[in-house]
Amino acid sequence: MPAYARWGPAGLLLAVAVMQFLLARVGPGTPLLSPWKGGGFGMFTVVDAPGHRAVSGEGLTETGDRVPIVLRLPSGGAEAIRDQRALARVRSLPNSGALEDLGQRLLSSGWAPETPAGILREVGIPEQLPLVSGQAKARYLRPAADGPEELSEITLQTWRLQFDPFVAVVSTVPLGKPVTVVGR
Amino acid sequence: MSSLWDRFLAQPTEEIALRASLVLLFLYPADDPGLGLPVRALTAVMLIGPGLARSFKLWVAVTLALGLALWPDWHSIDNHDYLLFYWALVCTIAVRGPDTQRILAWNGRLLIAFVFALATIWKLAGGQYLDGTFFSFELLTDSRLAILATPATGLLVDQINANRELINALMLFPGAGLTVTLQSAPGIEAWARILSYGTVAIEGALAVAFIALYRRPDLDLPNWMLIAFNLATYSLAPVLGFGFVLTVMGFAQCPADRRDTRIAYVLSFLFVQLAPLRWIPHVILTFG
């Protein structure tokens, strides 16, 4: 059996897995890659799965107001799939390039006003409103194809969940630096 | 029934392994629809056409399509898609020459050993596994694991679902300074540590067992360990592509004279495919 047949595929698996471990644990800078992704074996090992990462943001409206946004992306259609892919990338590897790409996509979208109650109602958990009232802002903007608002600038930041098993408390901590994207 | 099995298993192992690999790639092609479709078309042709399951050129095309699907989304694609690519590469190399079965068996064994060795290393070095942090979080928020949490600690499925809602609400407003306290139950932490240590021990043992097969090919225990692992793991977390590729690799390296073991591999494949129905956890939680 030739050497490439003996060691080629396993060598490739090992090389990718080592790279993934370095990117998810060592850096460069703050390690941004989710341990669950990138061809390694960190899934079902840490809390920091892409599904446990969230993106916050703030948009600058045409009237000069800075309004927090909620990233509930519209579904359906090729553009929506591309937006979802950009968001998936930001969740798995939130480097500045990924955040800028998502930001540019979001700037081309329309935006509709939304309240915490409306957002929670839409995802089917309105009973959690007491949790957010008082801390969350009263008014948000969310992407909507026919939304009346336009944004000229958007700042995005990725967060990961942090879990303290001794008191069963979960919070969000920032992952990397916020990135501001200005409309072209 | 027995003669059916005998007729099926009378085919060369490499033939069954290659065909099973094609079925695997047909069912779980690349996530990218633009490349998933060609993979499906190619594997369908290879399954139907006489002798095409051994076509080197078609295997190259399938492997290239899988590789191209990985490239742009390497950071967000599921890890078993990488494993599918490596296995397609093995099949491509294997059909090129006369050593097909030896190459499939050698690589199946080695890839299984590496998968479990690397999973063990991540669990030891990841920082949230051995101290129970990860498993505590999962037991409290993932209703698929109620089968583990409820009998041992009394934590109810409703509580787990309520915890999940809290997490969902928290993630809608990241950076708003919110914190949530999950509903827990006595003994969760201790149980999480037991599960963590148990999983590390099992996955580490699987890595050692499959490496040991290179020196002691007469051992059958590693095969049964892998089959048991697949049944236990993928009935809780139905990552079907992962379960399937492990089964195919396990079957490919299983000697042809192990009739019962090979039948168990085939049955475990069928079992894993039925896992999304979640009938086992349902039965245990209802009657347990």
Side-chain angles (χ1 to χ4, degrees), chain A:
Chain A
M1 195 191 317
Y4 69 85
R6 203 176 275 256
W7 304 114
L12 187 59
L13 177 146
L14 192 60
V16 171
V18 169
M19 281 298 294
Q20 187 268 357
F21 187 85
L22 294 175
L23 284 171
R25 270 290 163 262
V26 182
T30 307
L32 297 174
L33 179 65
S34 166
W36 285 58
K37 295 289 182 179
F41 294 88
M43 57 279 197
F44 296 105
T45 297
V46 294
V47 173
D48 187 19
H52 291 150
R53 288 179 168 187
V55 182
S56 70
E58 194 177 65
L60 183 65
T61 65
E62 286 180 318
T63 53
D65 296 330
R66 290 196 176 276
V67 184
I69 62 168
V70 151
L71 277 188
R72 294 273 304 157
L73 296 179
S75 57
E79 202 55 41
I81 290 172
R82 281 193 278 274
D83 288 349
Q84 293 287 358
R85 273 176 73 168
L87 179 59
R89 181 174 175 197
V90 161
R91 283 184 163 154
S92 53
L93 182 62
N95 57 19
S96 56
L99 287 163
E100 279 168 20
D101 178 43
L102 180 64
Q104 286 296 349
R105 294 189 155 278
L106 292 172
L107 283 175
S108 63
S109 167
W111 293 79
E114 187 59 280
T115 62
I119 296 161
L120 292 171
R121 200 179 308 117
E122 186 186 301
V123 295
I125 49 173
E127 62 275 18
Q128 300 301 346
L129 188 57
L131 171 77
V132 297
S133 59
Q135 281 142 307
K137 302 272 171 79
R139 179 188 176 228
Y140 284 79
L141 287 175
R142 56 172 296 172
D146 53 354
E149 300 257 18
E150 284 188 5
L151 299 179
S152 58
E153 185 182 298
I154 194 166
T155 302
L156 297 172
Q157 165 100 64
T158 308
W159 302 73
R160 66 176 174 82
L161 293 186
Q162 181 169 269
F163 176 58
D164 183 340
F166 297 105
V167 285
V169 168
V170 188
S171 54
T172 52
V173 292
L175 198 57
K177 293 175 183 163
V179 167
T180 299
V181 182
V182 181
R184 287 169 183 158

Side-chain angles (χ1 to χ4, degrees), chain B:
Chain B
M1 190 65 176
S2 174
S3 69
L4 260 180
W5 278 118
D6 288 335
R7 219 180 310 160
F8 175 71
L9 294 175
Q11 301 174 77
T13 301
E14 64 195 68
E15 192 66 33
I16 302 174
L18 286 172
R19 288 190 168 277
S21 305
L22 290 169
V23 173
L24 163 69
L25 294 168
F26 179 80
L27 290 176
Y28 309 104
D31 276 349
D32 185 326
L35 290 162
L37 201 62
V39 169
R40 277 219 161 101
L42 282 168
T43 49
V45 167
M46 291 167 79
L47 277 167
I48 295 165
L52 292 184
R54 288 169 174 270
S55 162
F56 174 66
K57 285 180 182 169
L58 289 176
W59 271 110
V60 167
V62 168
T63 307
L64 271 177
L66 290 170
L68 287 172
L70 286 181
W71 187 252
D73 290 326
W74 68 269
H75 36 67
S76 45
I77 215 154
D78 286 340
N79 288 328
H80 66 265
D81 288 332
Y82 281 82
L83 202 53
L84 292 179
F85 170 69
Y86 303 139
W87 184 246
L89 185 59
V90 169
C91 294
T92 306
I93 294 169
V95 297
R96 188 157 184 249
D99 272 347
T100 304
Q101 178 49 33
R102 274 186 69 210
I103 292 172
L104 289 175
W106 171 277
N107 281 282
R109 210 167 276 169
L110 196 57
L111 290 179
I112 292 169
F114 273 23
V115 163
F116 285 106
L118 291 163
T120 305
I121 289 170
W122 247 110
K123 286 177 173 67
L124 294 174
Q128 290 189 342
Y129 204 80
L130 290 181
D131 67 358
T133 301
F134 170 74
F135 242 122
S136 293
F137 183 81
E138 288 295 303
L139 290 171
L140 294 176
T141 60
D142 189 344
S143 60
R144 294 177 304 179
L145 299 186
I147 187 177
L148 296 175
T150 302
T153 67
L155 188 73
L156 301 173
V157 177
D158 287 348
Q159 291 177 296
I160 297 172
N161 289 335
N163 285 340
R164 175 45 59 185
E165 285 187 0
L166 282 171
I167 297 291
N168 290 344
L170 176 68
M171 286 181 40
L172 283 168
F173 305 96
L178 300 171
T179 58
V180 298
T181 303
L182 304 179
Q183 298 182 58
S184 190
I188 277 281
E189 256 188 85
W191 184 225
R193 278 176 193 251
I194 291 168
L195 291 171
S196 303
Y197 278 94
T199 309
V200 168
I202 290 166
E203 293 191 353
L206 270 160
V208 172
F210 272 85
I211 289 167
L213 279 174
Y214 285 99
R215 284 197 162 247
R216 291 278 312 276
D218 57 309
L219 287 176
D220 204 18
L221 182 64
N223 291 309
W224 290 100
M225 286 169 68
L226 180 64
I227 291 164
F229 175 87
N230 275 353
L231 296 184
T233 304
Y234 298 109
S235 61
L236 292 179
V239 189
L240 303 188
F242 220 135
F244 196 169
V245 71
L246 284 176
T247 306
V248 170
M249 293 192 302
F251 184 91
Q253 61 76 52
C254 184
D257 58 0
R258 307 265 169 76
R259 182 179 182 276
D260 291 348
T261 316
R262 297 169 87 213
I263 290 174
Y265 268 121
V266 176
L267 291 177
S268 79
F269 151 71
L270 296 174
F271 181 93
V272 167
Q273 300 310 302
L274 295 176
L277 301 176
R278 299 199 46 73
W279 57 278
I280 295 176
H282 186 71
V283 167
I284 292 178
L285 284 174
T286 307
F287 301 106

